[in-house]
Amino acid sequence: MPSLSDVVRNHTTLDQADLDRLQLLVSDWQMLADLSFADLVLWLPDTEGLGFWAGAQMRPTTGPTAYLDDIVGSFIPRERRPLLDQAYDGGRICREGDPEWRDDVPVRVETIPVRRDSRVIAVIARNTNLLGVRTPSRLEIAYLQSATDLARMITDGIFPYGGERLLSTTPRVGDGCIRVDRHGMVTFASPNALSAYRRMGLVTDLVGSRLKDVTGELIHSGQKVDDVLASVLTGRAAQEIEIENSDATLFLRAIPLRAEGEHVGALILLRDVTELRSRERELVTKEATIREIHHRVKNNLQTVAALLRMQGRRITVPEAQAALAEAVRRVGSIAIVHETLSESFDEHVDFDDVADRVAAMVADVSTISTQVTISRSGSFGVLDSEVATPLAMVLTELMQNSVEHAFSSRSTEEAIGSIELAAQRSVGRLRVVVTDDGKGLPDSFDSETSGNLGLSIVRTLVIGELDGMLEFHPRTDGPGTTVVLDFPVKE
């Protein structure tokens, strides 16, 4: 099914400003369909003036549809639907007394010209399925009157108002609807609107009261309502606003109604967002608590590392000093992950920063005289915390192992080495390659039987924690070693 933009560009002479106006209209015409209890179809004039193209379609949520099939992209020649011709040529709303019959369904049709500046650029056909029509209730009468007012404003080029930024919480007609007159007095309130105000503490009826005064009493205990809120509650400004007290939170949208250039009242749609805001506050509190926990864990790990360094300085046995230094680095790699998590709003980590910081830590605390440079290529992307922590430890062990063993036999003149860290992210997997230009693996090396503690940790974490694959190879383009990790990750 083609989009509105496709139909405009392929079949009409409308310009970009016309298209912008029509897109603004269809982004907000669900309200008109619901108030009308009718399907809306936007008909666009053909390039050669031979007829009209259906550019958009909207079904009501308040009544039965008149169109079971999608008709966007279809063409109607002139004289097939005289009401379309009359509305487009005459620039006025047109309706017929006798219904059309479509698949044994009587449909009342009304055509509404869409004007931009002084030009009619399209026609809205309002199609009402009369099988669902009964003696109208007070609610239906109020809805239909509001729909009539909006239709006139579309014909006059007033509605929709530009500059409004509709949000996901923007209320619909069924959420709650209030009609106020030019003085801000409530002339109609739907049951849902009344229930929302009752939740805020209202004990009387809304109809016959001044909405600004009633709302001010509920949210400010009688204090004066500020100018922005007053302009919304009196229907003078096309704006959205949120009001709350200790009992409830409501989201309001005001649509000023005008006739012949005069303000005649407003339609105010409202939605009870109490539960939504409550959940949002709970999430914010939970996120703050989790970040605080990670911050404390990071601090505790740094304390442990400091204690190990102090202990290492008091020990004179070189092997014990080296073991404690390795423990400090392992604790440090975990602390880096928790520090990153303490700064984020969820349990995900941008691992590129973690990898760079781990590499810097390994290079800074190396215990041999070799000058080692560590570089990274590719991106790890965002990883879950349960992946980030073991991966940080694995990289620490692999790079530290290269620093300590790959370059240990070099003379002072040769004491320069490099480690390359490459990451390749694909759908559902992460491949990491760690390459050094050191002396390479001994002939008898076997990662499965090696007694090196660091390699045992790497093997356990990669296979057990990451559910991945671990391979050691001689470097193909020169002396050195290549280690390949491949494991699944969540997108």
Side-chain angles (χ1 to χ4, degrees):
M1 187 169 64
S3 66
L4 174 59
S5 299
D6 294 335
V7 177
V8 168
R9 294 189 176 108
N10 295 332
H11 301 293
T12 77
T13 58
L14 300 176
D15 59 24
Q16 185 61 46
D18 295 330
L19 176 58
D20 293 342
R21 183 66 180 176
L22 293 175
Q23 287 176 328
L24 181 64
L25 172 65
V26 299
S27 70
D28 201 20
W29 71 342
Q30 179 72 64
M31 175 174 55
L32 179 60
D34 291 343
L35 290 171
S36 302
F37 307 97
D39 290 69
L40 305 179
V41 180
L42 184 67
W43 294 100
L44 309 174
D46 178 63
T47 301
E48 299 178 1
L50 301 178
F52 299 90
W53 293 87
Q57 178 180 1
M58 179 58 67
R59 296 182 175 92
T61 63
T62 52
T65 181
Y67 284 105
L68 296 178
D69 296 326
D70 296 325
I71 63 172
V72 174
S74 61
F75 177 75
I76 290 181
R78 272 187 171 269
E79 299 181 1
R80 175 79 61 82
R81 296 279 178 84
L83 288 183
L84 287 177
D85 302 341
Q86 294 169 21
Y88 183 75
D89 296 337
R92 58 184 178 83
I93 297 175
C94 300
R95 63 176 63 88
E96 283 184 347
D98 296 333
E100 296 181 2
W101 286 85
R102 302 175 190 163
D103 299 324
D104 296 326
V105 175
V107 177
R108 184 175 61 234
V109 180
E110 183 178 11
T111 52
I112 305 165
V114 179
R115 182 174 277 108
R116 186 179 78 84
D117 298 331
S118 60
R119 297 166 44 243
V120 175
I121 60 174
V123 175
I124 295 175
R126 184 161 55 173
N127 305 268
T128 305
N129 184 334
L130 295 180
L131 288 180
V133 173
R134 59 186 185 278
T135 302
S137 65
R138 187 163 172 265
L139 179 145
E140 290 168 332
I141 293 173
Y143 278 16
L144 291 171
Q145 181 58 53
S146 298
T148 299
D149 292 337
L150 288 176
R152 289 172 181 164
M153 292 166 61
I154 292 173
T155 299
D156 294 338
I158 300 173
F159 185 82
Y161 295 103
E164 284 190 284
R165 185 172 61 89
L166 302 182
L167 306 175
S168 60
T169 52
T170 295
R172 294 190 174 189
V173 171
D175 295 325
C177 178
I178 295 174
R179 178 74 184 256
V180 297
D181 63 16
R182 69 182 65 201
H183 304 295
M185 302 295 292
V186 178
T187 59
F188 168 78
S190 71
N192 283 345
L194 186 58
S195 295
Y197 264 80
R198 289 272 169 78
R199 187 169 186 179
M200 292 195 77
L202 180 70
V203 295
T204 61
D205 196 359
L206 274 174
V207 176
S209 62
R210 192 180 300 276
L211 186 62
K212 182 183 73 170
D213 296 340
V214 170
T215 306
E217 185 67 32
L218 292 174
I219 64 176
H220 293 307
S221 301
Q223 298 179 17
K224 184 179 179 181
V225 175
D226 63 67
D227 293 340
V228 174
L229 180 56
S231 65
V232 172
L233 296 174
T234 57
R236 296 282 176 178
Q239 192 172 341
E240 295 181 336
I241 198 167
E242 195 167 286
I243 61 174
E244 66 176 344
N245 61 13
S246 58
D247 298 318
T249 304
L250 305 183
F251 195 81
L252 278 64
R253 180 193 178 191
I255 302 100
L257 300 176
R258 302 179 67 83
E260 299 178 354
E262 297 291 330
H263 176 73
V264 295
L267 189 66
I268 298 177
L269 306 182
L270 59 95
R271 180 183 177 191
D272 186 346
V273 294
T274 306
E275 302 302 331
L276 178 63
R277 294 295 179 259
S278 177
R279 289 196 297 270
E280 287 177 351
R281 284 191 287 269
E282 289 175 0
L283 286 174
V284 169
T285 302
K286 180 180 178 181
E287 289 168 355
T289 302
I290 292 174
R291 290 200 302 274
E292 178 62 23
I293 290 172
H294 285 302
H295 182 70
R296 294 188 181 188
V297 170
K298 182 261 298 184
N299 288 343
N300 290 339
L301 289 172
Q302 289 178 337
T303 300
V304 170
L307 292 173
L308 290 174
R309 281 193 293 270
M310 292 174 60
Q311 187 67 43
R313 287 194 292 269
R314 293 174 177 271
I315 294 177
T316 57
V317 180
E319 291 81 1
Q321 289 180 332
L324 288 176
E326 289 182 1
V328 167
R329 287 189 289 275
R330 290 164 185 151
V331 172
S333 64
I334 301 174
I336 289 174
V337 175
H338 282 281
E339 182 177 4
T340 304
L341 288 169
S342 70
E343 299 168 353
S344 67
F345 290 93
D346 53 27
E347 290 293 286
H348 298 84
V349 178
D350 183 356
F351 199 81
D352 290 346
D353 179 60
V354 174
D356 292 341
R357 293 169 67 179
V358 166
M361 178 185 68
V362 171
D364 289 343
V365 300
S366 59
T367 57
I368 62 174
S369 59
T370 304
Q371 179 183 345
V372 178
T373 60
I374 303 177
S375 60
R376 174 178 63 85
S377 63
S379 176
F380 291 86
V382 176
L383 301 176
D384 290 342
S385 59
E386 60 263 26
V387 173
T389 300
L391 181 57
M393 289 195 65
V394 167
L395 295 182
T396 300
E397 296 297 335
L398 291 176
M399 290 187 289
Q400 183 61 37
N401 191 68
S402 294
V403 168
E404 291 185 350
H405 301 292
F407 313 110
S408 58
S409 61
R410 293 187 176 181
S411 63
T412 304
E413 292 77 13
E414 301 175 314
I416 297 177
S418 65
I419 299 174
E420 299 174 3
L421 180 61
Q424 182 179 0
R425 185 79 175 258
S426 58
V427 178
R429 298 199 71 84
L430 177 61
R431 179 182 175 86
V432 182
V433 180
V434 182
T435 306
D436 64 57
D437 60 354
K439 62 184 179 181
L441 297 171
D443 294 337
S444 59
F445 176 79
D446 185 351
S447 63
E448 297 289 336
T449 59
S450 173
N452 182 283
L453 176 60
L455 294 182
S456 298
I457 292 175
V458 168
R459 189 167 56 250
T460 299
L461 292 177
V462 172
I463 298 174
E465 294 290 327
L466 298 178
D467 191 25
M469 176 199 70
L470 175 66
E471 295 179 350
F472 291 81
H473 304 290
R475 185 170 179 171
T476 58
D477 56 348
T481 303
T482 297
V483 184
V484 179
L485 317 174
D486 191 290
F487 53 90
V489 291
K490 296 179 182 179
E491 293 301 316

